[in-house]
Amino acid sequence: MRDILPQIPPVAMPEVIPSELPQQKYHLGEWVRWFQVLNGDFGRVIGVIYTQQASCIATGLHYLILLDERSPSRDTCSCDFAFEEDIEPLDKSSLERFQGNHV
């Protein structure tokens, strides 16, 4: 078995922890979709993390999305992280349309 430790990105605490974190735009359980790509994935928010350029290029909130079983990438992965600027909420009619179009 290969040694996987060299593949894990370094983790480091920021030198200065912000006194206030940004307000989340999306909440646990909310349905969202990636809107900037053709046939974007969609799913439910199941986690939120804040990064500050330790092991991620961008500082800010990142949402862990559990992809819907009909989402285009679900065969490849069940979850994905999204930047707040790359997703938008799905209302009930949009969700029904997406679930119907991605069989």
Side-chain angles (χ1 to χ4, degrees):
M1 179 181 243
R2 298 182 315 164
D3 183 14
I4 63 168
L5 290 179
Q7 298 175 20
I8 298 174
V11 176
M13 292 296 290
E15 289 183 23
V16 177
I17 297 176
S19 60
E20 290 186 34
L21 296 176
Q23 188 72 4
Q24 337 180 171
K25 184 174 180 180
Y26 303 104
H27 300 282
L28 297 179
E30 189 170 353
W31 285 95
V32 295
R33 77 175 186 106
W34 278 259
F35 68 91
Q36 297 185 359
V37 293
L38 185 62
N39 293 325
D41 284 305
F42 63 100
R44 295 182 85 167
V45 176
I46 61 170
V48 182
I49 62 169
Y50 178 80
T51 62
Q52 190 174 23
Q53 298 183 349
S55 61
C56 184
I57 296 171
T59 296
L61 294 175
H62 303 269
Y63 296 86
L64 180 59
I65 311 299
L66 174 63
L67 299 181
D68 185 85
E69 63 186 24
R70 293 175 207 98
S71 191
S73 298
R74 182 60 188 253
D75 290 341
T76 307
C77 63
S78 59
C79 295
D80 197 0
F81 277 100
F83 294 107
E84 191 168 85
E85 300 79 25
D86 294 336
I87 55 177
E88 67 181 5
L90 280 176
D91 60 28
K92 186 175 180 175
S93 63
S94 297
L95 177 60
E96 290 170 356
R97 188 178 75 246
F98 274 106
Q99 289 177 328
N101 289 339
H102 297 91
V103 178

